[in-house]
Amino acid sequence: MDLMEFSKEHLEFRDEVRDFAQNRLKPIAEDLERKAEFDYDLIMEIGRKGWFGIPIPEKYGGMGKDNVSYILALEELTKVCGATAIMVAAHCSLCVCPIYYDGNEEQKKKYLVPLARGEKIGSFGLSEPNAGSDAGGTETTAVLKDGKWVINGQKRWITNGSYADVIVFTAQTNKELKHHGIYSFIVEKGTPGFSPGNKEDKLGLRSSNTAELLFDECELPPENLLGKEGEGFKVFMRTLDGGRISIGMLGLGLGEGALESAIEFATTHERKGKPLIKYQWVQKLIADTATELEAARHLIYHAARLKDAKVDLNKEGAMAKLYASEVGTRACRKMMDIIGPDSINGTYPIQRLLRDAKLMEIGEGTSEVQRIVIGRQLLGR
Amino acid sequence: MDWLGLNNDHKLLRDDIAGFAKNELEEDVLEFDKEYKFFDSVWKKAAGMGLFGFMLPESVGGADMDAISLALCIEELAVVSPSFAFAVAVQNIGAYAIEKFGGMDNKADIVKDIVKGLKVALCMESICKLKCNDDRTQISGTSGFVVNGDNSKYCLMFASCAERNTYLYLDTADNCEFHKENEIIGMRSAGIGKFEVKPYAISDKNFLQPDEGEIEYLLKICVSAVSTGICAGSYNVAIPYSKERVQFGRPISKFGMVRRMVSEIEENARISRLLTYDAASKFRDGDRLAPYIASVTARDRAMVCGDRAVQVLGGAGYTKDYPAEMYFRDAKTLEALLYSAEEERELIGKIITD
């Protein structure tokens, strides 16, 4: 029984996503992984369902649902295909949300509406070759010249990078001001001087696209500045607060997917003539993993509710992401032990879940960065 | 003797193998991993160096060394390529098992072949699914996860044969077909695949004589050595990266949380190494507990080390530009191929309490 106070509407929506995940996504997830190619048609199909803008008001092209609904949807997608889920999460949490929270009315009409409606794909360019954990160390520059922003530099590890139509990204306008000099901008695909670069060859999430973004004398009009001047750092910090919940959910969902397949395996297989479920080591692994996942799930939905209540969730978001992502990876690893040797070849998808899960401890702030965030909240700066 | 109880010969051997691994394996290891390729040309050189007969008598071309020497060699190879090390381990286990417990008339020739580099595959107890017929005259079936099976000439298969579970010797030229595993998560250069055995006539000579678990102990020692190598390899990729990678104006090795991860890798490498050598030094005494404990612990620690290496490298660690993620996958493969830690702990508890 799920006593987590989900409304009837929540559960109905979850069932709708679950139906898609189980019947449309699950049968092709392994194939997507093998091909290691971004499936544009599939992604646009998800977009047409409205799931690119779940927590965005209807007047901006979204579904007008809350963040809990959004996280519920990610949970269902992730259990089946982490790569598809992270595509949706990067689009929604990292591109749609900052435009919704910080964009002006014109930007919302121009960019947010088609992004939320699922007509366009969004992305977020923050990390750089020399600015990973140290996001304030952004080296991409933006210089105001003849009334236009001229952008130069390189982004790396950008989810949806090669395919995005709209990208929110950060650039340094004045190195001396350090992170106060970082502004957020919007760039569209096809803008002269802007192009996606090399794709990453990754451990997991292989059908999600992770690419470089290259800026070479790219000119942007002043209206492409997102948020007030000098508040770019705030924009992306707030963006990450929300994004962390989704990445935490991805880690958790992968762990939940692993638990489900291990339970299915254990209840239908024997070891040395004895049903697997009769072994106490199996019972222990299942019990420990389920308990950890349940605890992580409470942290995740707690953080999602805080976001819906529009209160500060800097600490809670970081805690949820830290715990859920570590638990998710551990769950995948341990559940593979129940399945045994067949867990490591293509027989079961569980090895893909493990490889996918590891990214959740790294992306959108490593576990170490989450610990710093939490520590700051508890200990002061 | 140093803290591990190694003598001078051991140290010379270790340095030799480390140099060999660096020169022969390092350059291609990432590419071969991506392509599931076996190190064929290095295999020949390894045979030339005598790496396949560590514990065999000199009469069959062996080096007549101890289990610690074998463990050292496997560890040093695994630092660079856990896959190659695993294949070399299997070759040594195969040669040792056949020499000591085989009943074949041409045993000496087979062992000499193996020492010279003709490959012997191994299908271990934890996974082998082959069965004999009731009067033990024929065996058939398919078993996955045979290690070092690619182009192998001989094979040791753990089989259930009329109440008797033991290793069987097969000549792969007869009725055996190998199908390479193309989707395995790790150990992609260890020649792992499925063995399909069509009805194969066997006699008592195919059975290895009862060995009180010695093959299993040697396997566990070798797997622990590969695991230790994974820890050391993780160290080799994480430490230089942490010193070069600058964030917040200084190398990340200056930060407490990164230092902690680096420490975790070294702690775990030492724990694995100590337990591996402990088990290896007790091999001749037939100590049952030491190899079990080494295998449970070292495989777990290898997984931790691979994971920490990926984490120290962050986004870079998640890509195939560095071997960190390979160690992570290879470690997971060792966890899955032998009995899992939790399962094995029940066995250890049984050994202790029975």
Side-chain angles (χ1 to χ4, degrees), chain B residues 94-136:
Chain B
Y96 182 83
I98 291 171
E99 201 277 328
K100 193 148 183 206
F101 307 113
M104 304 75 86
D105 301 329
N106 55 344
K107 186 168 91 174
D109 294 334
I110 295 168
V111 174
K112 279 180 197 163
D113 276 355
I114 295 173
V115 173
K116 277 186 211 144
L118 287 182
K119 289 166 76 175
V120 54
L122 181 73
C123 187
M124 47 196 123
E125 183 188 345
S126 47
I127 38 195
C128 212
K129 291 184 182 125
L130 290 196
K131 282 201 165 81
C132 297
N133 62 350
D134 288 343
D135 56 2
R136 303 169 67 204

Side-chain angles (χ1 to χ4, degrees), chain B residues 13-307:
Chain B
L13 172 74
R14 184 178 61 192
D15 294 346
D16 253 15
I17 306 289
F20 176 78
K22 203 169 168 49
N23 294 335
E24 301 292 341
L25 298 167
E26 197 168 67
E27 198 182 328
D28 295 324
V29 70
L30 293 181
E31 193 201 321
F32 278 37
D33 171 72
K34 266 186 208 173
E35 293 170 7
Y36 294 82
K37 245 163 95 176
F38 194 83
F39 286 91
D40 285 316
S41 62
V42 188
W43 187 259
K44 288 193 190 96
K45 289 182 192 168
M49 280 182 73
L51 300 192
F52 300 152
F54 268 93
M55 294 169 66
L56 298 179
E58 285 169 13
S59 58
V60 287
D64 209 7
M65 288 197 266
D66 56 8
I68 295 182
S69 304
L70 175 61
L72 272 173
C73 165
I74 301 302
E75 177 189 334
E76 288 305 332
L77 294 172
V79 171
V80 181
S81 171
S83 287
F84 188 77
F86 198 17
V88 172
V90 161
Q91 188 81 354
N92 273 283
I93 295 164
Y96 182 83
I98 291 171
E99 201 277 328
K100 193 148 183 206
F101 307 113
M104 304 75 86
D105 301 329
N106 55 344
K107 186 168 91 174
D109 294 334
I110 295 168
V111 174
K112 279 180 197 163
D113 276 355
I114 295 173
V115 173
K116 277 186 211 144
L118 287 182
K119 289 166 76 175
V120 54
L122 181 73
C123 187
M124 47 196 123
E125 183 188 345
S126 47
I127 38 195
C128 212
K129 291 184 182 125
L130 290 196
K131 282 201 165 81
C132 297
N133 62 350
D134 288 343
D135 56 2
R136 303 169 67 204
T137 52
Q138 197 185 72
I139 185 164
S140 64
T142 301
S143 194
F145 307 103
V146 176
V147 185
N148 201 28
D150 206 1
N151 289 318
S152 59
K153 173 82 170 70
Y154 308 107
C155 183
L156 286 186
M157 288 256 171
F158 192 87
S160 333
C161 289
E163 313 281 302
R164 189 170 151 199
N165 297 325
T166 184
Y167 278 98
L168 269 184
Y169 156 85
L170 304 177
D171 189 322
T172 59
D174 305 329
N175 291 336
C176 292
E177 218 171 295
F178 177 76
H179 306 277
K180 199 160 124 188
E181 187 66 70
N182 279 324
E183 289 198 329
I184 194 164
I185 189 173
M187 290 290 175
R188 290 174 170 173
S189 304
I192 297 179
K194 270 193 188 67
F195 240 102
E196 192 186 337
V197 181
K198 288 167 194 150
Y200 187 114
I202 50 171
S203 72
D204 268 355
K205 292 182 177 172
N206 288 83
F207 289 87
L208 266 55
Q209 296 310 308
D211 67 289
E212 305 289 331
E214 211 175 306
I215 300 173
E216 205 59 33
Y217 302 158
L218 194 57
L219 175 65
K220 285 191 192 313
I221 291 166
C222 286
V223 164
S224 307
V226 177
S227 303
T228 307
I230 290 174
C231 288
S234 301
Y235 180 98
N236 286 353
V237 56
I239 277 67
Y241 186 91
S242 72
K243 290 200 223 167
E244 281 159 25
R245 174 72 172 167
V246 175
Q247 290 285 273
F248 305 97
R250 42 193 179 139
I252 59 170
S253 60
K254 301 281 183 197
F255 292 92
M257 277 192 257
V258 174
R259 286 180 169 168
R260 189 191 179 284
M261 288 196 277
V262 164
S263 170
E264 264 184 287
I265 294 176
E266 179 60 5
E267 288 163 34
N268 287 317
R270 290 188 182 212
I271 290 167
S272 304
R273 193 172 289 129
L274 279 169
L275 289 174
T276 303
Y277 295 167
D278 176 56
S281 67
K282 291 171 181 163
F283 177 68
R284 299 262 189 226
D285 313 331
D287 186 298
R288 289 178 79 194
L289 268 183
Y292 271 92
I293 289 174
S295 154
V296 164
T297 311
R299 286 186 293 142
D300 177 67
R301 300 309 160 118
M303 193 68 199
V304 173
C305 287
D307 178 87

Side-chain angles (χ1 to χ4, degrees), chain A residues 115-189:
Chain A
L115 284 168
R117 274 193 192 146
E119 293 157 3
K120 287 186 172 175
I121 295 175
S123 172
F124 181 55
L126 175 63
S127 297
E128 297 184 1
N130 293 318
S133 288
D134 180 14
T138 300
E139 291 175 346
T140 295
T141 55
V143 179
L144 201 53
K145 217 158 102 186
D146 304 327
K148 289 197 166 177
W149 291 103
V150 181
I151 317 290
N152 279 291
Q154 184 188 359
K155 298 286 175 182
R156 199 184 162 188
W157 299 294
I158 308 305
T159 308
N160 303 342
S162 310
Y163 291 86
D165 302 291
V166 177
I167 299 109
V168 172
F169 72 96
T170 54
Q172 179 58 267
T173 60
N174 184 345
K175 224 179 158 183
E176 289 180 3
L177 295 176
K178 295 190 179 161
H179 58 258
H180 294 294
I182 297 174
Y183 291 9
S184 289
F185 297 90
I186 302 171
V187 65
E188 284 181 90
K189 187 160 101 181

Side-chain angles (χ1 to χ4, degrees), chain A residues 30 34 128-135 156-157 200-206 271-272 279-282 284-285 326 329 332-334 336-338 340-347 351 354-359 361-362 366-369 371-372, chain B residues 34 125-127 129 145 181 183-186 188 194 241 245-249 257-258 261 299-301 303-304 307-308 310-311 313-321 325 328-329 332-343 345-347:
Chain A
E30 282 295 290
R34 278 185 198 115
E128 297 184 1
N130 293 318
S133 288
D134 180 14
R156 199 184 162 188
W157 299 294
E200 300 287 352
D201 190 358
K202 309 191 294 293
L203 166 63
L205 298 165
R206 293 179 61 78
R271 182 85 40 104
K272 294 176 186 164
Y279 287 96
Q280 288 203 334
W281 67 266
V282 173
K284 177 195 183 292
L285 278 177
E326 295 198 346
T329 308
C332 293
R333 179 188 164 195
K334 295 291 178 192
M336 287 173 77
D337 287 348
I338 289 177
D342 280 342
S343 68
I344 54 167
N345 63 5
T347 316
Q351 52 91 17
L354 172 73
R355 290 184 288 105
D356 290 357
K358 183 62 203 163
L359 188 271
E361 297 175 55
I362 297 168
T366 61
S367 293
E368 291 64 43
V369 167
R371 290 185 171 100
I372 291 171
Chain B
K34 266 186 208 173
E125 183 188 345
S126 47
I127 38 195
K129 291 184 182 125
F145 307 103
E181 187 66 70
E183 289 198 329
I184 194 164
I185 189 173
R188 290 174 170 173
K194 270 193 188 67
Y241 186 91
R245 174 72 172 167
V246 175
Q247 290 285 273
F248 305 97
M257 277 192 257
V258 174
M261 288 196 277
R299 286 186 293 142
D300 177 67
R301 300 309 160 118
M303 193 68 199
V304 173
D307 178 87
R308 296 292 84 188
V310 172
Q311 195 68 23
L313 270 65
Y318 198 70
T319 70
K320 295 187 179 286
D321 299 344
E325 60 89 41
F328 179 75
R329 288 183 288 105
K332 185 62 225 179
T333 307
L334 288 185
E335 269 201 330
L337 285 184
L338 282 80
Y339 292 119
S340 73
E342 288 301 336
E343 192 170 3
R345 282 195 183 103
E346 278 196 5
L347 290 171

Side-chain angles (χ1 to χ4, degrees), chain A residues 18-35:
Chain A
R18 181 176 288 176
D19 182 56
F20 174 86
Q22 294 296 324
N23 298 317
R24 170 79 174 91
L25 200 51
K26 198 174 179 179
I28 59 169
E30 282 295 290
D31 213 37
L32 288 174
E33 163 77 8
R34 278 185 198 115
K35 283 189 201 141

Side-chain angles (χ1 to χ4, degrees), chain A residues 7-25:
Chain A
S7 67
K8 192 163 165 268
E9 196 194 342
H10 281 139
L11 296 178
E12 278 170 8
F13 179 59
R14 182 198 63 191
D15 290 345
E16 184 192 332
V17 181
R18 181 176 288 176
D19 182 56
F20 174 86
Q22 294 296 324
N23 298 317
R24 170 79 174 91
L25 200 51

